[in-house]
Amino acid sequence: MTEAAVSSAPKARTTARRPDSIRLLLNNSLATGGFIVLVAVALVALAAPFLPLADPDVTAPANRLMPPFSPDHFLGTDALGRDILSRIVWGTRVSLAVGLSATVIAAFFGSLIGLVAGYAAGRVDSVLMRGIDMIMAFPYILLALAIVAVLGPGLLNALYAIAVVNIPFFARNIRGITLGLSRREFVDAARLSGKSNVQILFIEVLPNVLPVIIITMSTTIGWMILETAGLSFLGLGAQPPQADLGSMLGEGRKILFTAPHVSVVPGLMILVLVMSINLFGDGVRDVLDPRLKSGVLTRPVARTTIDRKEAPSGLKPRGDAVLDVQDLRTEFHLGGTVYKAAGGVDLHLAQGECLGVVGESGSGKSVSAMSIMGLVPSPPGRIVGGAAFLGDEDLFSLSDERIRQLRGADVSHVFQDPLSTLHPLFTIGDQLTEAILAHRRITRSQARKIAEDLLKLVRIPNPAERLKVYPHELSGGMRQRICIAMALANDAKVMIADEPTTALDVTVQAQILSLMNTLRHERNAAILFITHDFGVVSAICDRVAVMYAGKVVETGTTEEILNSPAHPYTAKLIDCVPVLGEPERRLDAIEGRPPMVNNLPQGCAFADRCPKAQADCRAAPISVTEIAEGRSVRCLHPVKEGEHV
Amino acid sequence: MSEAALLTIDRAERVFGGGRTIFGMPKPAVHAVQDISLEVRKGETLGVVGESGCGKSTLARLIVGLDRPTGGSITLDGRDIAADAGNDPRALAKKVQYVFQDPVSSLNPRKTVRTILTAPLVHLIGLGKKDQERRLEELMEAVNLAPEFLDRYPHEISGGQAQRIGIARALAADPEVIVLDEPVSALDVSVQAQVLNILDGLKSRFGLTYVFISHDLSVVESVSDRVAVMYFGRIAEIGPAREVFANPRHPYTHLLLQSAPAPGRKSLVPEDANTELPDPYNPPPGCAFFARCPNATHKCKESHPPLEAKSGEATHLAACYHPHGGEEE
């Protein structure tokens, strides 16, 4: 056994990091605005004792109900002659303090209940969550009223009431997240590292739940301030003469028509405060929520953006190919970094031929295949060069409508996971007929008949009955047959199959492979077969293209590639796979890792891992050389026959 | 068996579900693992192969004490694992460790590699600060990673490197047995070879015993001394790896070997698509492979065939009345 390579020390971690959270937050102008307003309000409220304000509680009946902009009283006075500006500042201080502390209390107890319930599951979970359900069964204002009724009116009691009322909100949210996290493998791993349940819960699970707690807090706090104001408005919170936004509103209510400013000013203050908190809270959620961060908010368009620098006038379709991809370049633009996922890919498929595209993850094989029909999500993906000829048409210069006509008709796809490809809520029959009707002007019953024939074609027993079942009622192998049937529904010329058997068991894989092989001969359809498994390649492919770091490094017939690989990468890749029936074979691992496609070297991308690399390999881009008919390799020093690398 | 077994599994069974509802209706039960008996000797690698749903991962979780058998027993060095997992999980974790299938999700995304690897050192063997540092260096060296990786977070390392961290964590407390549940199936082939080579080196260096679970026949063949083939929660065939692969006795093993793709193998031999897989909620009374088996007879449908030596060799057992390559009865 050779020792595997010591992985090189990590390089400087400056390249390609996601934009950090604060920068993301500041990019959101609404959230930034909310944040600025909130900070300003909070600073003023905090500074209240030091500001030159009148005493908020001193009454002056002589100055009662002065309008705004009066001398000495910028916002006027209320029914008892108290300065409204001063009361607003002091009242905001109280409202903020109560809202914040209620949120913290609710977050603490709610999260604790949620964490324990989610982690312990079973009976503990049932007891805790039924308790929470009981709190939720009351209308919240009624519950808050009941609590205040028992404890007596007062700001502190209102605070408790609001905190208790909001505990279920936290408990349910946190429980859901914890439940998912507790079944994750790292929790099992921590248990096997000897950690106790308490340690696992608070050291392993809690840090992962924390962002959710913060998100929930940021979205609740505004609501809490409103509720405090509500209770005070009803006279159950702040007691006179203490100023609080809710109680000010309540006092102003009686004289709403004679002196509207007394209630309008605190009302506006509540609006500004809650609005700013909510805008900021939404911004925080967008930044912290991993699902939103990964780009759910940027909705990809129906077709990959095509952004070719120069018109590919020099590229002409080869005569004998149904599909001819030339110099395809697809890039991903993420946070200022450009990932050249496909950096000049050439593939061509003759009629009825099966071309295997082999490569490791990140080699660009899926991106190349998805680019053909514009299925790479944009943003961030875009096609920046090359052409893909289907017959005489360049797919990259066609209209969106023409592409829609071709998708699923002339070119169809089969993906890795049939369960996520099929719609769970429609029957197999509905989905098949829909695929047929999208491209043909026939009646539903005719389409149904074709669907039945298709199921027969993919060897599904009892097709008429099977049309009525839902995807979840079928096994994985059966589902993949349905997907193949769908791909064949409109007599596709080219079928693009992306790892169609990787998720299947070996016995099922054998069935699917032999089915695909028979069908392509029956239908004379070409298959672009993407896989990482040389065993699968030998079973079905006529020719193979090996990809590495976004380029095709070698093409040839399957036998040639397997028996006498010319590119050192192909040779090493074949050598490192265990082969059934040869247990004594030495597994020859490839040292190092493929380069990142955002930082490709000038010369050969494989040079750093290649035992045959020389100075000229690194000097300039390597072009493809044809070493025999239909056999080409992107290497200056190809492996000779019988040579071992 | 000549040598004393380190790990003994005796008629282990794990049933999920079952029991009754409050109205007395029986709840559906699935036998994930049933009637499994096998021994693992010190220093050997036992490969466990089978397709999805055959119970191989459940078996793995039973061995490390993450799950308890509902019947039968699993003993390590004469001590019952289920009892240990309840009373003294740390003592058990010191002896048996686990390597997970998904390297990235088995590492806590919010902890550095150092924190992750230190946990077993602190909680299982109670090392002091100074010894921890030394041990961490040893571990990183053992899995061929530069010490700089200690201060990285899981999302900053690749899948292959993450799996090596997973292996280092399993090694940390110097266990006797490591259960590897599909340790390389989430990895690219070139990285897979690196990890397999590291595992091989560690085994001879630290005198480890492996239970290696995989659906990939070629990987299992290249690492195992003995192989157990599982089907529908039971062992279909068990024996020396070379024997089982060269001369499979159970028709299921034969089918698996026929179906596996291999470079250079032109056509795979698929079975008839009409075959029905057994329903786990309603298991057949006899052999679970009955419906798919070319040799099946009435007898197979009636009763479950016992696991017996079929080819004259006492170590090569198959649960079949009509084994492949020659009738017995």
Side-chain angles (χ1 to χ4, degrees):
Chain A
M1 288 275 167
T2 49
E3 276 289 270
V6 174
S7 288
S8 56
K11 289 188 189 123
R13 285 192 246 150
T14 47
T15 48
R17 301 215 50 186
R18 280 173 187 280
D20 59 56
S21 307
I22 294 172
R23 284 258 300 286
L24 273 174
L25 188 63
L26 292 181
N27 277 345
N28 183 339
S29 50
L30 276 178
T32 316
F35 180 65
I36 291 170
V37 172
L38 181 63
V39 168
V41 170
L43 281 179
V44 170
L46 274 177
F50 313 109
L51 294 175
L53 291 170
D55 188 319
D57 299 337
V58 170
T59 55
N63 293 338
R64 62 192 296 268
L65 293 180
M66 285 171 72
F69 310 116
S70 317
D72 297 340
H73 301 289
F74 181 65
L75 291 176
T77 55
D78 67 2
L80 296 174
R82 293 175 294 195
D83 182 49
I84 292 185
L85 176 64
S86 164
R87 282 182 74 76
I88 281 287
V89 174
W90 283 93
T92 307
R93 193 175 152 93
V94 170
S95 289
L96 266 178
V98 172
L100 258 178
S101 21
T103 309
V104 170
I105 295 173
F108 179 79
F109 289 103
S111 305
L112 192 66
I113 292 173
L115 277 169
V116 172
Y119 183 72
R123 211 154 281 165
V124 180
D125 182 34
S126 299
V127 170
L128 284 174
M129 291 326 282
R130 292 305 79 76
I132 293 295
D133 286 347
M134 260 147 72
I135 298 184
M136 293 196 85
F138 292 96
Y140 85 92
I141 196 81
L142 194 69
L143 187 62
L145 283 174
I147 293 171
V148 173
V150 172
L151 298 175
L155 204 51
L156 207 57
N157 293 341
L159 189 156
Y160 294 145
I162 289 161
V164 168
V165 166
N166 281 288
I167 284 178
F169 188 59
F170 282 91
R172 299 198 127 198
N173 259 332
I174 303 305
R175 172 189 173 258
I177 304 285
T178 312
L179 205 58
L181 282 169
S182 308
R183 309 294 175 276
R184 290 272 295 276
E185 290 182 335
F186 70 79
V187 170
D188 280 338
R191 192 163 290 141
L192 291 173
S193 298
K195 290 195 172 175
S196 64
N197 282 330
V198 176
Q199 283 170 328
I200 292 176
L201 185 55
F202 291 104
I203 301 177
E204 301 282 331
V205 178
L206 181 62
N208 287 291
V209 176
L210 216 49
V212 183
I213 299 182
I214 293 171
I215 292 165
T216 320
M217 279 175 78
S218 69
T219 46
T220 345
I221 188 163
W223 182 237
M224 298 275 207
I225 289 175
L226 278 182
E227 286 179 7
T228 324
L231 283 184
S232 293
F233 179 82
L234 295 172
L236 299 170
Q239 297 301 307
Q242 193 181 27
D244 164 280
L245 294 178
S247 60
M248 288 173 74
L249 206 60
E251 287 159 13
R253 179 179 59 92
K254 291 163 238 161
I255 46 175
L256 183 62
F257 297 105
T258 48
H261 71 276
V262 179
S263 43
V264 168
V265 170
L268 282 176
M269 191 65 217
I270 292 177
L271 176 77
V272 169
L273 190 60
V274 173
M275 205 56 196
S276 65
I277 289 175
N278 285 352
L279 286 177
F280 177 59
D282 279 355
V284 169
R285 190 194 55 203
D286 289 356
V287 169
L288 287 184
D289 195 327
R291 275 172 308 159
L292 299 180
K293 204 176 181 174
S294 65
V296 179
L297 286 181
T298 56
R299 190 171 302 164
V301 290
R303 183 182 176 193
T304 312
T305 314
I306 292 163
D307 183 15
R308 289 187 289 191
K309 297 280 177 308
E310 66 252 43
S313 50
L315 303 178
K316 290 273 177 300
R318 268 167 277 195
D320 58 340
V322 266
L323 180 71
D324 190 1
V325 178
Q326 294 178 18
D327 197 33
L328 167 71
R329 291 168 190 274
T330 306
E331 294 178 351
F332 290 89
H333 294 246
L334 274 174
T337 324
V338 178
Y339 295 84
K340 293 182 177 161
V345 174
D346 296 287
L347 298 168
H348 67 273
L349 266 170
Q351 199 170 34
E353 183 184 44
C354 180
L355 172 69
V357 180
V358 186
E360 296 181 89
S361 51
S363 62
K365 55 190 194 305
S366 286
V367 170
S368 305
M370 300 285 271
S371 299
I372 295 172
M373 292 312 286
L375 291 175
V376 176
S378 278
R382 62 175 71 166
I383 294 166
V384 297
F389 295 103
L390 183 72
D392 297 330
E393 289 175 301
D394 177 11
L395 293 171
F396 299 157
S397 54
L398 295 180
S399 68
D400 287 359
E401 175 55 26
R402 178 73 185 134
I403 285 288
R404 196 195 64 74
Q405 287 169 1
L406 289 175
R407 279 183 187 167
D410 290 53
V411 181
S412 58
H413 290 81
V414 179
F415 296 100
Q416 180 174 344
D417 180 6
L419 192 56
S420 61
T421 320
L422 295 170
H423 197 296
L425 297 181
F426 291 96
T427 62
I428 300 300
D430 288 343
Q431 298 186 49
L432 273 171
T433 40
E434 192 204 346
I436 296 164
L437 289 173
H439 295 285
R440 291 193 228 174
R441 299 194 158 275
I442 51 174
T443 65
R444 190 155 277 278
S445 57
Q446 284 171 312
R448 196 100 185 156
K449 183 80 198 62
I450 297 176
E452 202 179 314
D453 292 341
L454 282 169
L455 290 195
K456 217 175 279 163
L457 183 75
V458 294
R459 281 44 164 193
I460 287 183
N462 203 356
E465 284 303 305
R466 290 299 167 105
L467 283 176
K468 294 176 199 153
V469 305
Y470 289 91
H472 70 266
E473 298 173 70
L474 296 170
S475 66
M478 283 293 176
R479 277 185 220 127
Q480 197 60 294
R481 280 166 206 268
I482 305 285
C483 291
I484 292 172
M486 210 176 275
L488 293 172
N490 298 300
D491 298 318
K493 289 187 205 139
V494 178
M495 201 150 103
I496 298 174
D498 193 349
E499 306 255 9
T501 59
T502 308
L504 305 175
D505 282 325
V506 276
T507 52
V508 183
Q509 169 170 284
Q511 293 172 9
I512 297 289
L513 288 177
S514 77
L515 175 71
M516 289 182 82
N517 210 11
T518 325
L519 288 179
R520 77 169 163 121
H521 288 127
E522 283 176 21
R523 292 289 182 115
N524 209 9
I527 302 180
L528 188 66
F529 197 103
I530 297 161
T531 180
H532 64 275
D533 188 335
F534 276 111
V536 171
V537 167
S538 337
I540 184 164
C541 298
D542 304 318
R543 286 194 309 124
V544 182
V546 181
M547 283 192 71
Y548 186 77
K551 287 193 169 80
V552 175
V553 293
E554 181 168 6
T555 48
T557 64
T558 308
E559 284 81 38
E560 284 168 347
I561 299 270
L562 286 174
N563 297 335
S564 57
H567 197 285
Y569 173 67
T570 318
K572 297 276 280 180
L573 194 63
I574 294 173
D575 276 348
C576 70
V577 189
V579 175
L580 200 60
E582 298 173 32
E584 293 307 301
R585 207 165 97 120
R586 193 174 65 113
L587 291 185
D588 205 354
I590 310 179
E591 297 177 8
R593 283 202 289 148
M596 294 295 289
V597 286
N598 60 348
N599 187 19
L600 288 174
Q602 166 78 18
C604 175
F606 188 61
D608 285 345
R609 306 170 79 186
C610 181
K612 300 186 63 153
Q614 291 173 27
D616 53 348
C617 297
R618 293 188 172 87
I622 316 291
S623 55
V624 177
T625 29
E626 185 146 356
I627 52 173
E629 208 198 322
R631 183 90 203 277
S632 55
V633 58
R634 193 186 287 274
C635 184
L636 296 176
H637 311 284
V639 183
K640 292 173 193 75
E641 218 164 329
E643 186 188 12
H644 184 79
V645 280
Chain B
M1 312 232 161
S2 52
E3 273 179 77
L6 179 64
L7 180 77
T8 310
I9 303 178
D10 186 27
R11 301 188 62 93
E13 177 199 68
R14 179 70 174 96
V15 183
F16 290 107
R20 286 179 181 277
T21 65
I22 46 172
F23 300 113
M25 307 282 280
K27 285 188 195 167
V30 175
H31 285 72
V33 160
Q34 50 183 325
D35 198 17
I36 287 207
S37 299
L38 57 85
E39 292 182 336
V40 185
R41 272 159 279 163
K42 190 165 173 46
E44 78 170 348
T45 299
L46 174 74
V48 180
V49 265
E51 296 182 284
S52 52
C54 74
K56 52 192 194 306
S57 284
T58 307
L59 180 67
R61 291 176 64 85
L62 292 178
I63 296 175
V64 290
L66 285 172
D67 201 351
R68 317 276 163 81
T70 47
S73 71
I74 303 177
T75 50
L76 177 75
D77 262 344
R79 290 171 61 95
D80 185 52
I81 283 183
D84 264 1
N87 306 330
D88 193 357
R90 287 184 181 169
L92 177 64
K94 245 192 265 184
K95 289 190 191 156
V96 193
Q97 276 294 338
Y98 194 74
V99 174
F100 295 85
Q101 172 171 10
D102 185 345
V104 177
S105 83
S106 70
L107 304 178
N108 190 336
R110 303 207 167 251
K111 304 278 173 196
T112 60
V113 169
R114 182 187 298 278
T115 323
I116 291 168
L117 288 184
T118 311
L121 301 179
V122 174
H123 299 291
L124 291 180
I125 43 181
L127 282 189
K129 265 264 170 304
K130 221 181 203 156
D131 294 332
Q132 281 175 23
E133 265 323 293
R134 192 183 41 73
R135 182 75 181 140
L136 282 180
E137 263 171 45
E138 275 175 24
L139 288 172
M140 294 302 271
E141 187 266 329
V143 295
N144 258 319
L145 284 175
E148 283 90 332
F149 281 95
L150 281 172
D151 295 309
R152 294 183 137 198
Y153 284 93
H155 66 264
E156 297 173 319
I157 58 183
S158 73
Q161 289 161 349
Q163 193 57 293
R164 291 194 232 168
I165 301 293
I167 293 169
R169 171 173 58 196
L171 274 180
D174 222 349
E176 294 173 37
V177 180
I178 298 186
V179 178
L180 303 130
D181 188 1
E182 305 261 11
V184 294
S185 52
L187 306 178
D188 267 321
V189 282
S190 71
V191 181
Q192 169 178 311
Q194 292 173 5
V195 171
L196 287 177
N197 287 345
I198 285 175
L199 283 173
D200 193 70
L202 294 175
K203 188 184 159 191
S204 42
R205 190 163 148 198
F206 298 106
L208 296 167
T209 305
Y210 287 154
V211 176
F212 192 105
I213 292 169
S214 180
H215 69 279
D216 189 330
L217 294 161
S218 50
V219 168
V220 167
E221 189 189 23
S222 73
V223 299
S224 307
D225 301 313
R226 286 198 306 139
V227 170
V229 181
M230 284 184 70
Y231 185 69
F232 205 61
R234 294 175 190 261
I235 293 180
E237 182 163 6
I238 184 168
R242 213 140 320 153
E243 261 294 300
V244 172
F245 281 91
N247 182 21
R249 301 294 286 164
H250 199 286
Y252 175 62
T253 317
H254 183 71
L255 173 69
L256 272 184
L257 290 169
Q258 289 290 302
S259 312
R265 190 183 267 188
K266 194 65 195 147
S267 63
L268 307 174
V269 186
E271 62 174 325
D272 190 5
N274 277 326
T275 53
E276 255 179 71
L277 298 183
D279 176 7
Y281 286 102
N282 185 18
C287 178
F289 193 60
F290 171 78
R292 298 169 73 180
C293 185
N295 306 349
T297 59
H298 196 63
K299 188 178 178 187
C300 306
K301 199 179 180 179
E302 302 281 283
S303 67
H304 202 277
L307 192 62
E308 294 169 339
K310 294 289 176 195
S311 50
E313 282 204 45
T315 50
H316 186 178
L317 318 176
C320 186
Y321 289 126
H322 311 290
H324 179 76
E327 295 292 312
E328 287 263 323
E329 309 175 45

